[in-house]
Amino acid sequence: MEIEDGAPPEILPDRIEIRRAPDKEPILDASLALSSQGIRHWFEFDGIQFILTVDPEDATYARTVLEDYDSENADFQNEDTPEAPPVNLRLSPLLHLLIPVAVFFWAGSTPWGGWLTQRGGADARRILDGEWWRCLTATSLHVDHEHFLGNMLSGFFILNLLRRRCGPGTSMLLLTLAVGITNFLVAFFSTPNHFSIGFSTVVFAALGLLAGIETLHLPRRSPQLTGLRDFSPLVAAFFLAVLVGIGDKADVKAHFIGFGLGSLCAPLATRLERRAGHPACQIAGVVLVYGIYAIVWMIAQR
């Protein structure tokens, strides 16, 4: 890009003006678009407006490039696009994390903590034999302190990001549904001796739900411009899940099935937020999830 700030356009009759504006920013954006296509151009100021000019033989192509650029980015400058509030760490995710925290310290403070793990773990054979409550109780158990702290820290930050889009009651209800189905599907597709525990299934479901909601909130573009960019939050979150969700002791099936089911819950989350976003509804959702976990643990100890 060649810039001649002081040269008035009238002394350069061999160039074609393709854009002018009183502000510099839109001309700089247009200049960047032309540079990306290797189009030689000049950026000038006539004392009143900023002007973008090109060689005559490049004028038609330059106008096409700028029209495509404007069309592609028009919706991303739409003032009606809903904005998420700033990312501030709040304590509301602790409402969900309280469940595994309470069970972790409860199990660790009793001599029969190992028995609790056996009664509440996601044992594939027992789940398929009818012990459905294990699909939920397993998410509140952990192997050791490292496993517990890793899930709590990652869960706290991901749930904080999710909090920007939906309330705690909505997220807790949908994630409880997602992980319950996830652990049943994992049991169905695993060998009978498969056994797993941990809150990580909830964390991956929350990551999928967050990515799905952010994808739905992307501005709508024309069908001609539809592409991978329309799914960028979901794609980015998926590869993050690939990066951290695969390991020697990781329950890979639970991580990725949870991620997928979480993302599928995104349309339901946006609908619930519109219809049940009132604080009273959110409180009711939190209390309902607490009640569900209390019931499944009561059944597990029979």
Side-chain angles (χ1 to χ4, degrees), residues 130-146:
E131 297 184 10
W132 56 268
W133 57 87
R134 291 175 177 269
C135 295
L136 293 179
T137 53
T139 64
S140 58
L141 293 165
H142 291 86
V143 175
D144 50 37
H145 289 81
E146 290 79 8

Side-chain angles (χ1 to χ4, degrees), residues 90-105 139-140 142 148-160 168 171-172 175 199-200 202-203 206 286 289-290 293:
R90 301 293 178 85
L91 296 180
S92 57
L94 296 180
L95 292 170
H96 201 163
L97 298 180
L98 179 62
I99 297 171
V101 168
V103 174
F104 181 78
F105 285 102
T139 64
S140 58
H142 291 86
F148 170 74
L149 288 175
N151 284 331
M152 294 304 99
L153 287 174
S154 58
F156 179 72
F157 284 98
I158 291 175
L159 290 173
N160 255 290
S171 63
M172 288 176 67
L175 292 177
F199 193 73
S200 60
V202 181
V203 174
V286 172
V289 172
Y290 284 166
Y293 271 90

Side-chain angles (χ1 to χ4, degrees), residues 1-3 27-28 30-32 35 39-43 52:
M1 176 180 68
E2 300 180 34
I3 300 178
I27 301 300
L28 288 175
S31 174
L32 183 62
S35 296
I39 301 174
R40 190 171 68 154
H41 57 283
W42 289 263
F43 173 72
L52 199 62

Side-chain angles (χ1 to χ4, degrees), residues 206-218:
L207 180 61
L209 179 59
L210 171 64
I213 294 175
E214 292 297 335
T215 299
L216 291 177
H217 278 85
L218 284 178

